[in-house]
Structure formats: C-alpha cells, structure tokens
Amino acid sequence: LGYPWVVGLWRQSFLGNVLRDPATQRSSASFTAATVAVQKGAQVLRVHDVLPHRQLTQIVDRIRKA
C-alpha cells in the first residue's frame, strides 16, 4: 500500500486470550509481539514504555544487518 505500518500491541486483550494472563502481566508478550511486528516490517510502534521498545528496535536492526 505504500504506507508505514503503525502497530499498537501493548497489553492487548488478544495477548491475554493466548496466555490467560491479566493485563498487568502481559509485558513479555507485548515485547515479543512488538519484536515480531518490527521483523515483519512495522515502522511505527505505539507504546507505553518507550526506552525498552527503542532498545528492542535497535537490537532487531542490528540482527538484520548481521
């Protein structure tokens, strides 16, 4: 489509449905889902914890370039 992907996955209910966890315990699932989204081409992440997601994207970028 030619537009950047914007993804917001932080503590989403579908993560809780998969793991059967309350929203307060979905951080790991949220980071995992964000990692997959970035690997699949997401260019913008809507997040609550900016620093760890920035680090996540830096790691994914470094792995891509390896």
Side-chain angles (χ1 to χ4, degrees), residues 22-45:
T24 57
Q25 296 179 4
R26 295 184 196 152
S27 297
S28 295
S30 297
F31 288 120
T32 302
T35 300
V36 172
V38 170
Q39 288 176 328
K40 295 288 187 177
Q43 296 169 316
V44 178
L45 296 176

Side-chain angles (χ1 to χ4, degrees), residues 43-60:
Q43 296 169 316
V44 178
L45 296 176
R46 182 191 168 276
V47 301
H48 294 265
D49 293 338
V50 175
L51 179 60
H53 282 88
R54 180 184 168 114
Q55 293 169 334
L56 176 152
T57 59
Q58 290 172 327
I59 295 298
V60 171

